Amino acid sequence: MYLLISDNLAEVSVLRYGLAVILFVLHPVYGDVSYSIPEEMKRGSVIGNIAKDLGLESGTLSARKARIDTEDNSVNYCGVNVNTGDLIVQERIDREGLCAKRASCVLKQELVLENPLEVHRINIRVQDINDNSPQFKEESLTFEIREMAAKGARFLLDEAHDGDIGENAVQGYSLQQNEHFKLNVKTKGSGRKYGELVLDKELDREDKGELMLLLTAFDGGSPRRSGTVVIHVIVLDANDNVPVFSQTVYKASLPENSPLDTLVITVSATDADEGLNGEITYGFDDVSDDNQVFSLDSKTGEIKVAGSIDYEKESSYEMQISAKDGLGLASYATLVIDITDMNDNAPVIYLKSLKNPIPENVSPGTEVGIINVQDRDSETNRQVRCSIQQNVPFKLVPSIKNYYSVVSTGQLDRELVSDYNITITATDEGSPPLSSSKTVQLSVADINDNPPVFEEQSYSAYVSENNKPGSTLCSVSARDPDWRQNGTVVYSLLSGEVNGAPVSSYVSVNGDTGVIHAVRSFDYEQFRNFKVHVMARDNGSPPLSSNVTVSVFISDVNDNSPQILYPAPEGNSFMTELVPKAAHGGSLVSKVIAVDADSGQNAWLSYHIVKSTDPGLFTIGVHSGEIRTQRDISESDSMKQNLIVSVKDNGQPSLSATCSMYLLISDNLAEVPELKDISYDEKNSKLTSYLIIALVCVSTFFLTFIIIIMGVKFCRRRKPRLLFDGAVAIPSAYLPPNYADVDGTGTLRSAYNYDAYLTTGSRTSDFKFVSSYNDNTLPADQTLRKSPSDFADVFGDCDESPEVGTYFK
């Protein structure tokens, strides 16, 4: 059952064992809540609904991390159910252990809420239950009473003590029925009851020397509890004076932490009797723990420190001291010892809450932790100043009471500092001041705020053509200073095209290592370089990325043999050069033209005659391929000359190609028979070739030869080497599509232009008549469009013969 009242209503408590009537008061200013409960409630018992009493939603307790703290961080006797809001008993609550004899026993607890920080003080008034029986100091009391004692004589009895208070404390005494004594119950100023043994009938030692009486002390609890002591009465001669203390109340002041055997005070009492009746013995009259803290010399009355004196545990002591004479008469005095506080407790820092780790993008002013500082001393000694070490982006902000918030003051960067060891120092205002420190470790959580950064601004890869698919070209590397998945880099190719094909059909990249592989074999003759773009992306959310350009350069390999453009490859028809018999030594006869699809030194060509009909008649330029006469042609030279020319490149290893060059020495085409019937097959006999050449020379070139001789002699002054220093022009159809001339290293020299003319002997004739042109007067692209009449100008004023005109087509 719960009872809710306001501040200005009287508190009501019902002290019945097993039944708790709970009262609480909601303080309108400080948010205090008060409850009243009986002691010794079972663990788990519900004290009240703190959420309802404070006007809080039950779900708020869980969200705001509600917990129960104590002001001095002692035992948490209570706990809170964050789901229901119930305040429950967590530890055994013993009122006697907490408050001893104090009439009011208040257990102070605190309800702490976070986000924002809120503290509610909970005052739990612990009501006493009758769980202690009255108890006497000794098991038996001995009184020596003179037989001459008058009727009505009073003998003070030891007070019975009960750990309980109020109605549950000692309420009365009863004496066993006897004929000599009766019991008189009296009340002290403090409200405690004690008994006096009253002589109701004179004693007669001769009649009965000893009496045994049973004294019972009972309390007012329900059910009632009691304790007994045996009173042993020894009848003696009269002792009519009791000891008398010099003071009724003794007061002393003692600083805490006083060493053992420190003299506190000396009590004294006097007895007018003499001898044994006047000998006084001092002692503590209380049955309490105070007797373990102080010692009393029974002879001198000196009270000294016998245990630990701690102001924070007990700020004052009150004790009853007795003085008894030798025959048992006694008097009593009260001793009050006040303990003064010393600054003997350093502040203690408690970490109540900590957000760890904290994200690196947390904004300045964010609360990351809560600390509580406690100092067990009092007054000035417990005033505490807190500070935080320098050079950390955090500060302390005072909050409610002795709570402080740890607040960020600047922008955090995990890549610069990933952990902080924050030292908090608390110093009190005592003299001398005491301080303590606590180190709080804070970790900074990573966020994806850094994109991957490549180690180089661009990359270059060099690979030889004809590489194997899957071969490694190069490796790219990017670094991301973020942590774990935010710093894990994955590589990929950006979409693009190379020569109209997707870039992925040329190269691939390993997503984990950044190694770039060739997907296919490259051909230098198709393309010499290309660029790809590689992206490095991290695995953060959202992911960040950066790009880099990788330039792939393909180097040439000597994988192409020289290609002979002229003379044309052998087929059903063949080409023959016509050499005049009047050709002098050094005259240009023809030229072997070849190209190489490779580049550089792989395309540097050299020409060599490997076989000839007359080895001493013709020579070939090693680099130009020009075939010239080594000497003047004589009548004894064979009409048909066959040259086998080898063209080699400068690669390693060197590649080569061969061709056959057929030269016909004759001045008159009439001397040459139909050329289409001439075979260049070396398997034909030389005799057949000689007969054909002779027939052609005799029948066709006789008149031509005469005309040519006359023309040469006539025109020699103007162009002495006009007829023989020309070059052969090759139609563009002979050139490969990817051929490119390189000055100084190519196979064609721009200083020469070549053209070919067929003889009239046959439409398929491959004979050529050599002419020379100058680049300034005849562009190269016009050499193939010359008509027969155009060539008449070559000979100037020479007589034009119909036979000469028929040589050109």
Side-chain angles (χ1 to χ4, degrees), residues 91-149:
E91 296 291 340
R92 175 176 176 261
I93 301 176
D94 182 13
R95 192 206 65 79
E96 288 75 25
L98 292 172
C99 304
K101 287 291 186 179
R102 291 197 291 271
S104 175
C105 184
V106 178
L107 185 62
K108 296 181 179 181
Q109 306 278 285
E110 293 179 344
L111 175 66
V112 180
L113 302 175
E114 296 184 12
N115 297 321
L117 180 63
E118 185 177 347
V119 179
H120 296 276
R121 183 182 300 153
I122 304 173
N123 296 323
I124 301 176
R125 190 177 302 279
V126 181
Q127 299 289 352
D128 183 53
I129 64 172
N130 191 26
D131 59 339
N132 292 282
S133 299
Q135 181 182 3
F136 289 91
K137 179 180 179 182
E138 299 176 354
E139 294 182 357
S140 64
L141 301 175
T142 301
F143 290 92
E144 295 178 349
I145 304 175
R146 290 184 177 275
E147 60 180 355
M148 296 301 294

Side-chain angles (χ1 to χ4, degrees), residues 249-255 263-265 284 290 293-295 303-305 309 314-319 321 334-340:
V249 178
Y250 290 90
K251 293 184 178 182
S253 179
L254 181 69
L263 180 62
V264 180
I265 196 172
F284 288 114
D290 297 345
V293 179
F294 301 98
S295 64
I303 298 175
K304 297 182 178 180
V305 176
I309 305 297
E314 196 69 45
S315 60
S316 65
Y317 295 89
E318 181 178 344
M319 297 168 284
I321 300 174
T334 301
L335 173 61
V336 178
I337 302 176
D338 293 325
I339 308 299
T340 58

Side-chain angles (χ1 to χ4, degrees), residues 230-265:
V230 176
I231 301 176
H232 183 200
V233 179
I234 300 175
V235 181
L236 298 175
D237 289 336
N239 182 18
D240 55 352
N241 291 290
V242 298
V244 178
F245 279 99
S246 60
Q247 300 178 31
T248 303
V249 178
Y250 290 90
K251 293 184 178 182
S253 179
L254 181 69
E256 66 172 327
N257 301 325
S258 296
L260 298 177
D261 295 329
T262 298
L263 180 62
V264 180
I265 196 172

Side-chain angles (χ1 to χ4, degrees), residues 448 450-455 459 476-492 509-515 534-540 543-548:
N448 191 29
N450 290 283
V453 177
F454 284 95
E455 294 181 350
Y459 291 84
V476 298
S477 179
R479 296 289 181 266
D480 193 321
D482 292 325
W483 196 43
R484 291 186 176 174
Q485 67 177 12
N486 292 334
T488 301
V489 180
V490 178
Y491 303 93
S492 61
V509 63
N510 188 305
D512 297 326
T513 64
V515 176
V534 179
M535 178 180 68
R537 175 183 55 82
D538 58 30
N539 283 330
L544 301 178
S545 63
S546 60
N547 304 331
V548 72

Side-chain angles (χ1 to χ4, degrees), residues 256-257 311-312 340-347 375-384 427-435:
E256 66 172 327
N257 301 325
Y311 174 87
E312 288 71 40
T340 58
D341 181 46
M342 304 293 292
N343 190 29
D344 60 339
N345 292 281
D375 194 316
R376 297 180 60 200
D377 296 321
S378 63
E379 298 180 354
T380 305
N381 294 333
R382 71 177 301 169
Q383 300 300 317
V384 178
T427 305
D428 62 27
E429 299 288 343
S431 179
L434 300 179
S435 64

